Amino acid sequence: MFMKDTIAAISTALGKGAISIVRVSGEEAIKIVNEIFTGKNLKEVDSHTIHYGFIKEKEELMDEVLVTVMKAPKTFTTEDIVEINCHGGIIATNRVLETILNHGARLAEAGEFTKRAFLNGRIDLTQAEAIMDLIESKSDNARRQALEQLSGRISNYIETLREKIKDLLASIEVNIDYPEYYDIEIVTIDKIKKVTQELQIELERLLKDAKNGEIIKEGIKTVIIGRPNVGKSSILNSLLEQEKAIVTDIEGTTRDIVEGSISFEGVHLNMIDTAGIRETEDKIEKIGVEKSLSLIDTASLILLVLNSGEDLTEQDRELLDKIDKEKTIVVLNKNDLDSKLKIEDFKTYQVVSTNTKDLNGIESLKAKIKELFNLEKIESTDTTYLSNARQISLIKQAQKEVSDVIKAIDNSLPIDMVAIDLKNAFNLLGEVIGEEYSEEIIDHLFANFCVGK
């Protein structure tokens, strides 16, 4: 990629609409658009002004437009940017873009505008990732989390941790440069251990809170499992407040997964109603049962539904043994009938008694989900969380390096060996915000952006 190139792309969704925006960025952005614009001389206008006219190629008018001129460095990419507001629609927008490309711009790659903003120092890597998170946010909490990250709160926090490590490394340098002063080494070792223990606590908190960030961003993948006819589909329909799944008294009605989603307590709840789990000779139903079992391991929340009006079967017991208790709610459904199963029979499980005949039954399930995922806390606290696997992986690696520092000190290893682990932690934290990076990682990250962003 050549940063000297002038790039162009359509920045709005392509299709029928009132307005489309074609964005141009680079050293020749104003010159190129000025060549095809009938109106004011764009080279002479003030920055951050809007001008009326037409886009024209030779004698042919392409579209009636409003052109916004924004001069470097106070722009998103820190380069000259021109944005052309044209009439929405595939034909008009594409003709405007085509005309710009014919006059020397090249088509931008996916995410190239944001990539330039990062490479030019306008934003860091966590802020770049926040832009895509903001575009893809599925709930108000997800939007707020992206905005928190875009504002630089995570970046500032990471920088604070790096400053602490930088201070330790400086102390070590003093110790290495002046080894004849024994008291310097004592002070340095004590300081390193104290600060690294504090860093370890901070990194552990970041990783713990990252689970909340994942819930806000990705939602809660919820799998509803159980034997046929225990009320799985009815629970899905009740939570969604619509007839998404077919409900009958016939066993095996649900043969494939049925999906639906709702916004619940500010979090996206992605629900999957699975085929009833039982031994069957029906080939299609058997495939559905296998799918149901495979989803258990990947789910964030499992709703294991049992019929409270029946004794536990061998299949129920097998499912109870298979599930992860930490992410499972056992739902004793149909409690409006004579119950043979009681909440107190499941003391080691998260359990709730429900029915789908009245609202109280399903509300108790919602309350249990809220409690299990601490959604009230997520709703009421700030949303300064790590937001993706890349960030979390790097923080985990940094935490390990900090832990190794503490072990090295306890084992009385030479101070220059301690410095190696500290430098690794410092560099890993730098990778989180993009102070340290490789071209391969950057290209992969921005390739996931849409063209024009």
Side-chain angles (χ1 to χ4, degrees):
M1 180 181 297
F2 302 97
M3 291 290 288
K4 295 295 183 183
D5 289 359
T6 294
I7 57 174
I10 300 167
S11 290
T12 45
L14 195 58
K16 188 176 180 180
I19 295 172
S20 290
I21 297 175
V22 180
R23 176 186 283 176
V24 190
S25 180
E27 288 183 356
E28 297 193 325
I30 297 173
K31 172 183 171 293
I32 288 171
V33 177
N34 195 54
E35 291 174 359
I36 60 175
F37 179 65
T38 64
K40 287 187 177 180
N41 185 343
L42 300 180
K43 295 180 181 179
E44 298 176 355
V45 302
D46 292 334
S47 182
H48 293 76
T49 54
I50 301 174
H51 308 279
Y52 169 79
F54 290 83
I55 296 297
K56 186 178 180 182
E57 177 68 299
K58 296 180 180 178
E59 298 304 316
E60 182 183 0
L61 293 179
M62 296 297 170
D63 198 7
E64 182 183 28
V65 298
L66 287 174
V67 173
T68 304
V69 175
M70 294 169 279
K71 296 179 181 179
K74 294 184 177 181
T75 69
F76 179 62
T77 62
T78 77
E79 305 168 336
D80 286 344
I81 289 181
V82 179
E83 289 187 351
I84 302 171
N85 288 255
C86 53
H87 289 94
I90 296 173
I91 301 301
T93 308
N94 275 333
R95 289 303 300 274
V96 170
L97 176 61
E98 182 183 337
T99 304
I100 294 168
L101 298 179
N102 287 341
H103 282 256
R106 70 166 171 81
L107 186 64
E109 297 176 2
E112 189 170 354
F113 292 95
T114 307
K115 183 176 182 179
R116 288 191 175 202
F118 164 68
L119 293 175
N120 291 333
R122 168 70 174 74
I123 56 176
D124 70 21
L125 209 50
T126 63
Q127 290 172 307
E129 290 169 317
I131 290 170
M132 184 52 68
D133 290 346
L134 187 59
I135 293 169
E136 295 180 345
S137 57
K138 299 175 183 177
S139 69
D140 199 49
N141 272 353
R143 176 192 62 80
R144 287 197 297 118
Q145 175 176 281
L147 283 174
E148 291 277 7
Q149 189 161 310
L150 187 56
S151 72
R153 290 188 65 169
I154 278 288
S155 310
N156 293 338
Y157 187 76
I158 297 297
E159 279 291 5
T160 300
L161 299 182
R162 294 183 86 223
E163 283 298 319
K164 289 182 180 180
I165 297 175
K166 190 188 293 184
D167 185 44
L168 291 181
L169 290 170
S171 297
I172 290 173
E173 287 297 323
V174 171
N175 179 267
I176 293 172
D177 290 342
Y178 302 97
E180 65 272 21
Y181 294 104
Y182 177 75
D183 59 332
I184 290 178
E185 181 175 359
I186 298 300
V187 171
T188 301
I189 291 296
D190 289 344
K191 179 180 180 181
I192 291 171
K193 186 166 185 179
K194 178 177 182 296
V195 176
T196 49
Q197 286 174 335
E198 293 171 356
L199 284 167
Q200 192 173 42
I201 292 170
E202 295 285 355
L203 293 173
E204 285 174 355
R205 187 191 68 77
L206 266 179
L207 291 172
K208 183 179 178 182
D209 287 348
K211 294 179 181 178
N212 290 340
E214 184 179 7
I215 288 171
I216 290 171
K217 180 182 174 184
E218 304 294 339
I220 301 172
K221 183 179 178 181
T222 306
V223 175
I224 307 173
I225 64 169
R227 291 185 294 108
N229 271 19
V230 292
K232 300 186 303 299
S233 297
S234 294
I235 286 174
L236 174 72
N237 290 341
S238 296
L239 287 169
L240 293 176
E241 297 181 2
Q242 60 173 292
E243 297 298 315
K244 184 82 173 182
I246 299 171
V247 178
T248 74
D249 293 330
I250 303 170
E251 290 191 354
T253 298
T254 304
R255 295 189 171 203
D256 201 353
I257 62 174
V258 179
E259 300 183 60
S261 62
I262 57 169
S263 181
F264 174 62
E265 298 292 334
V267 170
H268 213 60
L269 209 62
N270 307 304
M271 292 180 291
I272 303 173
D273 175 26
T274 63
I277 297 173
R278 65 169 178 171
E279 295 293 334
T280 178
E281 296 302 318
D282 186 300
K283 289 184 179 180
I284 297 175
E285 189 180 353
K286 185 177 285 188
I287 292 171
V289 171
E290 290 171 356
K291 274 189 181 180
S292 301
L293 293 171
S294 69
L295 287 167
I296 292 175
D297 294 331
T298 60
S300 303
L301 169 63
I302 299 166
L303 301 181
L304 172 54
V305 185
L306 304 174
N307 186 343
S308 63
E310 300 174 352
D311 292 322
L312 285 180
T313 66
E314 188 60 33
Q315 215 143 33
D316 292 332
R317 297 182 193 281
E318 288 177 5
L319 285 172
L320 285 165
D321 290 337
K322 183 177 176 61
I323 58 174
D324 181 348
K325 293 181 182 180
E326 296 298 317
K327 62 178 185 180
T328 300
I329 298 174
V330 176
V331 182
L332 305 182
N333 196 33
K334 303 186 180 182
N335 65 7
D336 52 321
L337 306 175
D338 290 336
S339 296
K340 294 185 178 181
L341 304 179
K342 307 293 183 184
I343 289 179
E344 50 268 26
D345 298 333
F346 299 86
K347 292 180 181 178
T348 60
Y349 295 88
Q350 297 280 343
V351 59
V352 62
S353 179
T354 66
N355 69 76
T356 54
K357 299 293 185 183
D358 58 63
L359 288 177
N360 289 334
I362 218 65
E363 288 303 315
S364 59
L365 175 56
K366 288 181 179 180
K368 183 61 72 173
I369 294 172
K370 184 176 179 180
E371 176 189 329
L372 183 63
F373 287 90
N374 214 1
L375 297 184
E376 188 171 347
K377 179 183 177 184
I378 293 176
E379 181 77 15
S380 62
T381 58
D382 73 71
T383 50
T384 311
Y385 303 130
L386 303 173
S387 68
N388 59 51
R390 183 194 71 85
Q391 296 170 11
I392 293 169
S393 174
L394 289 169
I395 293 297
K396 283 181 178 178
Q397 293 175 61
Q399 183 193 37
K400 182 183 181 302
E401 296 292 344
V402 169
S403 179
D404 288 344
V405 169
I406 296 171
K407 290 176 184 176
I409 292 172
D410 289 340
N411 292 325
S412 301
L413 293 181
I415 197 165
D416 54 340
M417 297 293 290
V418 172
I420 293 173
D421 293 327
L422 277 173
K423 286 177 182 176
N424 289 339
F426 181 80
N427 292 335
L428 286 163
L429 291 175
E431 285 187 52
V432 175
I433 58 178
E435 288 292 328
E436 310 279 343
Y437 64 87
S438 69
E439 281 295 328
E440 184 180 355
I441 289 174
I442 294 302
D443 288 343
H444 176 73
L445 190 153
F446 287 102
N448 294 319
F449 278 58
C450 53
V451 174
K453 189 55 187 172

